[in-house]
Structure formats: C-alpha cells, structure tokens
Amino acid sequence: MTDERPLIELERKIAGGDFQSAGDVSSELKRILQQVGFPPPFSRRVVIAAYEAEMNVVIHAWRGIFRAWIFPNRVHIEVDDEGPGIPDLELAFQEGYSTAPPHIREMGFGAGYGLSNMKKCSDRLEIDTRVGEGTKVIMDFFLNPS
Amino acid sequence: MQPLEATVLAPGNMEEEIQGGYCGDLLSDCIANAVEGSVWVTVQSHPNVIAVATLVGIPCVVVVNNYEVDEETLARARNEGITVLRTPLSAFEAVSRLAALGVPGKKRRG
C-alpha cells in the first residue's frame, strides 16, 4: 500500500437478515464508480464482488460494516462482520456448497457461488474468519492488474 | 406486453431497447452471467431482484407463472426505472416467445 489518498471513502452498516435493504450498499458503490468514470467492465467486477460480500453478511451474520476506498487506479474493500464465522474455508470456496437454510435458498440466495464469484472478480481476496466471532473479507481491485 | 400475455406492474423506462435475454432464479448466477441491457426472466419477485437488476444494468424483469410481486419490489423498480412484467406463462414459454421476437440469449464471457 502506498500513502496515496483515496478519492472517496465509503462506510456503511449492513444489518444481518435485512433482505429488504440488501444490495443497497453495492448499488451505492456502483453509482459512485460510474461517477468517478471507471470503465464499466472494471466497475462491474468490483460491484459483483461487493454484492456477494454484502449478501453474505445479510444471509449469515448478525451485523457488519462495509468499507470501500476508491483510488484513481484501484479499489480496496473491507467487509467486517459479527457472525458465526466460517468453520471450513476450503469447503466454503467450493462452488455450490452452502450453509444457507432452505427459506433463503428459495429466494435465490445462498446457492454457494458467493465466495467463488468474489474470488473470480477480485485481484486479491483475503478472508480472516473466527468461528463464533465473525468474518473479515478484504478485496483489492486494480484497474490495470500487472 | 402482448406476446408475453403480461401485465405491466412497473412501467420503467420502456424506451430502452432490449439487447438480449437471460433466464435464471439464482441471484448469484444472474449477477455473474447476465449481460447489461438484457431482459431477465425469473420466478423470483422479492425486492432484491431489483438490486440485482440495477447492479447488472437490466432494464426489464419478467416474473413468470403469475407469481405474486411484493409492493416493495415495485416501489424499488419505479425508483430505478426498471420495468417489471408479470406473465402467466412458464419461464420456458416466456423465453421461447422472446426468442421468437428476435431477442438473443446473452451470457457474460465465453
């Protein structure tokens, strides 16, 4: 990390179980990225990963904080939640594996593609999780990945 | 919307041209694979459908099998200028009629 200053910093609370507002933070981020003028394919992959991270908090956690730092050439996102944590990360990364309950799956959530979508869309993904405490997701997106 | 025998629940910006179509009920699947400017055919009708449509850039959502659509979903759709149609047709039938109108199936990457 350099000491460059971000153009915009965004910090929003996410409420666990609040499916009505779910996706609002990612929508706000999308508008900001469009206003900054990032190319649509770049904004798109940031927003997909942000949406999956946001939804994971809504589906699985009690509450969380979404933070984004938007720089001219990159975006850094941290999503920190208080929740059950992920007991087996390797399993959680498997496409189609999910611990979401049936009523959530019926809504089309929790299909087990969240983490793999985040991995595909980001240039760097780090997950720090403690069972019974919570999970922190850190993602970086570079406009020109080297 | 005659070809789809649909009711317009939220008018949206109807002048926006539909460039393709996507069909699916898993939100992670739609957000990863649907292409901007597409019509989205789905059984889902809760408010998060509009969040996904907004994020992807989907101008029109077709809810099939006459599933009930929440008022909150429609309020959000109106806010975002997204058209919401409800049809008694099945997803398969709705997609075949859209295809007959010349709407191509579109998918991200390869």
Side-chain angles (χ1 to χ4, degrees), chain A residues 59-81:
Chain A
I59 294 168
H60 299 285
W62 330 129
R63 63 189 68 81
I65 307 239
F66 181 105
R67 294 187 185 89
W69 289 262
I70 296 153
F71 297 90
N73 290 309
R74 64 185 176 94
V75 174
H76 179 80
I77 291 178
E78 296 187 5
V79 184
D80 214 340
D81 73 46

Side-chain angles (χ1 to χ4, degrees), chain A residues 19-24 26-27 30-31 44 47-48 51-52 55 106-109 111 113-114 117, chain B residues 25-28 30-34 36 44 46-48 51-52 54-57 72 76 80 108:
Chain A
F19 286 91
Q20 296 286 315
S21 313
D24 283 1
S26 309
S27 301
K30 182 184 182 183
R31 277 192 289 274
R44 183 184 166 101
V47 163
I48 292 174
Y51 172 80
E52 296 289 6
M55 289 315 303
E106 269 171 32
M107 292 169 78
F109 299 109
Y113 290 87
N117 272 354
Chain B
D25 306 319
L26 296 178
L27 305 188
S28 281
C30 179
I31 202 167
N33 293 315
E36 191 174 356
Q44 301 293 352
H46 53 79
N48 212 251
V52 170
T54 306
L55 293 175
V56 175
E72 174 69 18
R76 280 171 180 251
E80 299 286 349
R108 285 262 136 195

Side-chain angles (χ1 to χ4, degrees), chain A residues 51 104-111, chain B residues 22-31 40-46 48-49 52 61-65 67 90-92 95:
Chain A
Y51 172 80
I104 299 223
R105 290 173 185 243
E106 269 171 32
M107 292 169 78
F109 299 109
Chain B
Y22 195 80
C23 179
D25 306 319
L26 296 178
L27 305 188
S28 281
D29 174 70
C30 179
I31 202 167
W40 178 18
V41 177
T42 182
V43 299
Q44 301 293 352
S45 57
H46 53 79
N48 212 251
V49 165
V52 170
V61 178
V62 178
V63 177
V64 297
N65 290 342
Y67 276 109
S90 71
F92 189 96
V95 169

